[in-house]
């Protein structure tokens, strides 16, 4: 069985006269539709087993065999029985005409809990294993079993399809598990995420902190690099002081002190694939005028030494919110994306392009009102950038998001949509799921999308169409045991 984690979100609504109701299935959507606007909703009351009496529909969601899927449902009323605690469970059934509970295989069970109001509405997000066998039309079921003499068992079913895996990632997806702040010293953990979304701990890193984005993967040597520091007071004018190297084959960590030649911060760490200058760092340092800052591109060696700046990026007091950096090893171009900290309801940005061979710097304004961008990727040798975008700048910051893959013209800064990655509002406008080195050996782009509930999906997207080529749920966020960030992909050495 799975190991779900539960997010409790109580809607404390005034309610009188409730006699029926009790579980609604939102993702995948239940047969007949759901209504969770009030506790005691009739749409959440199906006591007839094994699936209620709502009519069967065509599959509404396609799942991938052998991966994980985040099921979202609501306990619409609470019927906790102190003498004999009930359960909620998730199961799969082959086909769509089940006649008995025996036609379902339970894959996850959650104990009921003693809510302070019967009329509390509680959302559950549960990462469940998808069956390994494809099925053109199957049934996913959620039940609430109160174990209470005065209450029946409540059922909801959804029609789903299960397909064969589109792709299997040949390389490794790694992440840093956030420190356990209750331990002394705090402990970060390097984990590897499998194709089924499960995290395997590799190395414990006591008293170790990695800032977002200071991770990189070197395919030839099969090593991961991190810039980090020990926990303690951090300052805006002091960069992290340690370069860590993780050898994948040996499962060992090494560290060296970084020679910090300036007062500022590191923004990004990139591998070049060459032995002479294996690492590139992007730094942000104070300009000569007050309240101005400049990005710098430098080489960093595995011994911690740092080169002089390559080219001169002009200082600015506007585009100081670092967003992303990427590298084209064929054309020797470094792309640095900086956001306007004054455009609080849009995301005006500037793209700085540094040519490592000539040290020339090109500056391109990305016009406001176009697509907001994250996770720039470049197909080497093409001068074509790709990015994930939660949509055009909305009239309201609270507007629903529409995640798409877009192409970016580095000469004009214009972003053009290629394809929609997810339906409106499915994923939150959260940038922390970016994957560093996130272009796979088969030219797919990786991103970790966060649902509003806090659960997350790892998605691989094809650049030609923007269509999803792979998806699996991750145990991440408020519904999981661990919080993960600094996702980095290491392709196999043969790629």
């Amino acid at each position: 069985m799975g190991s779900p984690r539960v997010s409790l979100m109580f809607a404390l609504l005034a309610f009188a006269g409730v006699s029926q109701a009790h579980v609604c299935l939102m993702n995948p959507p239940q047969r007949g539709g759901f209504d969770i606007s009030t506790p005691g909703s009739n749409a959440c009351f199906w006591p007839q087993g094994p699936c209620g009496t709502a009519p069967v529909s065509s599959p509404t969601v396609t799942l991938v065999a052998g991966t994980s899927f985040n099921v979202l449902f609501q306990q619409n009323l609470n019927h906790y029985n102190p003498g004999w605690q009930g359960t909620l469970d998730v199961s799969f059934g082959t086909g769509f005409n089940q006649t008995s509970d025996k036609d379902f295989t339970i894959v996850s069970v959650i104990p009921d809990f003693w809510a302070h109001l019967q009329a509390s509405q509680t959302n559950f997000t549960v990462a469940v294993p998808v069956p390994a066998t494809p099925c053109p039309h199957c049934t996913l079921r959620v039940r609430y079993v109160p174990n209470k003499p005065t209450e029946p068992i409540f059922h909801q079913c959804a029609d789903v399809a299960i397909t064969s895996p589109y792709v299997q990632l040949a390389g490794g997806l790694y992440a840093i598990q956030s420190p356990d702040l209750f331990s002394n010293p705090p402990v970060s953990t390097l984990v590897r995420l499998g194709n089924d979304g499960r995290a395997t701990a590799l190395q414990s890193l006591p008293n170790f902190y990695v800032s977002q984005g200071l991770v990189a993967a070197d395919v030839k040597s099969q090593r991961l690099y991190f810039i980090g520091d020990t926990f303690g007071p951090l300052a805006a004018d002091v960069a992290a002081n340690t370069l860590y190297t993780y050898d994948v084959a040996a499962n060992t960590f090494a560290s060296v002190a970084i020679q910090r030649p300036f007062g500022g911060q590191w923004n990004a760490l990139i591998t070049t694939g060459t032995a002479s200058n294996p690492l590139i760092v992007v730094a942000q340092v104070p300009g000569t005028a007050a309240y101005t800052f400049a990005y710098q591109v430098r080489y960093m060696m595995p011994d911690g030494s740092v080169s002089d700046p390559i080219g001169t990026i002009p200082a600015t007091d506007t585009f100081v919110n670092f967003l992303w950096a990427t590298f084209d090893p064929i054309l020797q171009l470094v792309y640095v994306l900086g956001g306007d900290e004054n455009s609080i309801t849009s995301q005006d940005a500037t793209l700085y392009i540094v040519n490592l061979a000539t040290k020339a710097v090109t500056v391109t304004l990305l016009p406001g009102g176009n697509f907001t961008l994250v996770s720039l990727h470049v197909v080497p040798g093409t001068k074509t950038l790709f990015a994930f975008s939660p949509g055009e700048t909305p009239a309201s910051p609270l507007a629903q998001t529409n995640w798409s893959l877009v192409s970016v013209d580095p000469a004009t800064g214009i972003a053009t949509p290629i394809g929609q990655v997810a339906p409106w509002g499915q994923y939150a406008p959260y940038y922390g799921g970016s994957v560093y080195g996130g272009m796979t050996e088969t030219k797919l782009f990786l991103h970790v999308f966060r649902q509003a509930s806090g659960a997350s999906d790892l998605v691989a997207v094809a650049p030609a169409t923007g269509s999803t080529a792979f998806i699996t749920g991750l145990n991440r966020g408020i519904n999981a045991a661990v919080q993960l960030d600094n996702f980095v992909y290491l392709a196999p050495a043969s790629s």
Side-chain angles (χ1 to χ4, degrees):
M1 292 187 180
S3 300
R5 297 295 186 269
V6 181
S7 168
L8 305 184
M9 182 180 70
F10 298 102
L12 305 181
L13 305 175
F15 184 77
V18 174
S19 60
Q20 309 291 350
H22 318 289
V23 67
C24 261
L25 176 57
M26 293 99 81
N27 188 29
Q30 67 189 43
R31 292 172 179 171
F34 64 87
D35 176 12
I36 56 174
S37 59
T38 63
S41 169
N42 288 333
C44 302
F45 177 65
W46 289 111
Q48 303 90 345
C51 271
T53 60
V56 175
S57 72
S58 299
T60 57
V61 172
T62 299
L63 312 181
V64 180
T67 65
S68 295
F69 179 75
N70 289 308
V71 179
L72 173 62
F73 58 93
Q74 183 182 97
Q75 185 189 66
N76 192 245
L77 283 182
N78 182 273
H79 299 302
Y80 185 81
N81 184 9
W84 188 12
Q85 175 179 270
T87 58
L88 299 102
D89 63 52
V90 182
S91 58
F92 282 97
T94 302
F96 51 88
N97 287 320
Q98 292 82 8
T99 60
S100 167
D101 290 339
K102 295 180 180 179
D103 296 327
F104 287 89
T105 300
I106 295 175
V107 294
S108 186
V109 178
I110 304 167
D112 200 1
F113 68 100
W114 200 346
H116 67 302
L117 287 178
Q118 182 178 356
S120 64
Q121 294 171 262
T122 307
N123 287 354
F124 293 80
T125 299
V126 182
V128 301
V130 179
T133 302
C135 173
H137 193 161
C138 287
T139 305
L140 183 148
R141 184 182 72 172
V142 171
R143 294 190 308 172
Y144 178 20
V145 185
N147 285 340
K148 196 171 185 178
T150 57
E151 300 292 344
I153 296 173
F154 308 100
H155 310 78
Q156 293 292 354
C157 285
D159 296 285
V160 301
I162 301 175
T163 67
S164 299
Y166 306 110
V167 297
Q168 292 289 315
L169 301 179
L173 180 66
Y174 299 83
I176 297 292
Q177 177 181 321
S178 295
D180 178 1
L181 298 180
F182 294 100
S183 63
N184 188 17
V187 178
S188 298
T189 305
L190 175 67
V191 302
R192 177 168 177 165
L193 296 157
N195 284 295
D196 60 359
R198 296 183 180 181
T200 301
L202 300 176
Q203 286 278 342
S204 294
L205 309 169
N207 207 27
F208 172 77
Y209 172 80
V210 176
S211 181
Q212 184 76 25
L214 300 182
V215 298
D218 184 73
V219 174
K220 290 184 178 179
S221 67
Q222 289 293 285
R223 287 183 170 90
L224 302 178
Y225 292 95
F226 307 84
I227 293 178
D229 211 333
T230 56
F231 274 89
L234 301 176
D237 59 349
V238 178
N241 64 4
T242 307
L243 174 66
Y244 296 83
T245 304
Y246 174 68
D247 187 308
V248 172
N251 191 29
T252 56
F253 252 94
S255 63
V256 296
I258 297 173
Q259 301 171 24
R260 298 181 289 186
F262 58 88
Q265 295 180 335
W266 306 117
N267 291 136
L269 179 65
I270 306 169
T271 55
T272 67
T274 65
S276 57
N277 292 299
L279 297 170
I280 294 171
V281 286
V282 177
Q284 190 175 45
V285 301
T288 55
Y291 306 111
T292 64
F293 296 86
Y295 298 107
Q296 293 182 346
V297 174
R298 299 169 179 255
Y299 290 119
M300 179 179 287
M301 301 301 291
D303 64 1
S305 59
V306 179
S307 75
D308 292 333
I310 305 167
T312 302
I313 297 178
T316 176
D317 62 355
T318 304
F319 296 97
V320 297
N321 290 341
F322 174 81
L323 296 173
W324 198 262
T326 193
F327 174 59
D328 183 336
I330 294 178
L331 299 179
Q332 292 290 290
L333 299 177
V334 178
Y335 297 90
V336 179
L337 185 64
D340 179 359
E341 72 168 355
N342 298 317
S343 58
I344 60 175
T345 58
S346 63
Q347 184 174 285
D348 299 339
T350 290
L351 182 66
Y352 303 96
I353 308 172
V354 180
N355 189 314
L356 298 185
T358 66
K359 299 185 180 180
V361 176
T362 304
V363 181
T364 302
L365 178 68
L366 277 64
N370 200 236
F371 288 82
T372 62
L373 305 177
V374 70
S375 301
L376 285 179
H377 300 286
V378 60
V379 177
T382 65
K383 287 189 178 181
T384 301
L385 297 174
F386 296 88
F388 289 102
S389 174
E392 294 181 280
T393 303
S396 166
L398 301 180
Q400 283 190 319
T401 53
N402 178 26
W403 279 97
S404 301
L405 184 72
V406 302
S407 63
V408 181
D409 184 342
T412 65
I414 298 296
T416 303
I418 297 173
Q420 187 172 330
V421 174
W424 282 93
Q426 178 173 337
Y427 295 124
Y430 171 71
Y431 278 1
S434 301
V435 177
Y436 301 96
M439 186 175 70
T440 72
E441 60 284 348
T442 56
K443 302 298 188 293
L444 296 175
F445 298 139
L446 301 178
H447 197 86
V448 177
F449 291 100
R450 176 176 287 187
Q451 300 176 15
S453 65
S456 295
D457 293 331
L458 169 64
V459 178
V461 176
T465 61
S467 59
T468 298
F470 174 86
I471 185 170
T472 188
L474 298 181
N475 290 329
R476 178 180 188 268
I478 61 174
N479 292 284
V482 299
Q483 177 73 24
L484 303 176
D485 54 27
N486 280 302
F487 296 96
V488 57
Y489 184 72
L490 178 63
S494 57
S495 62

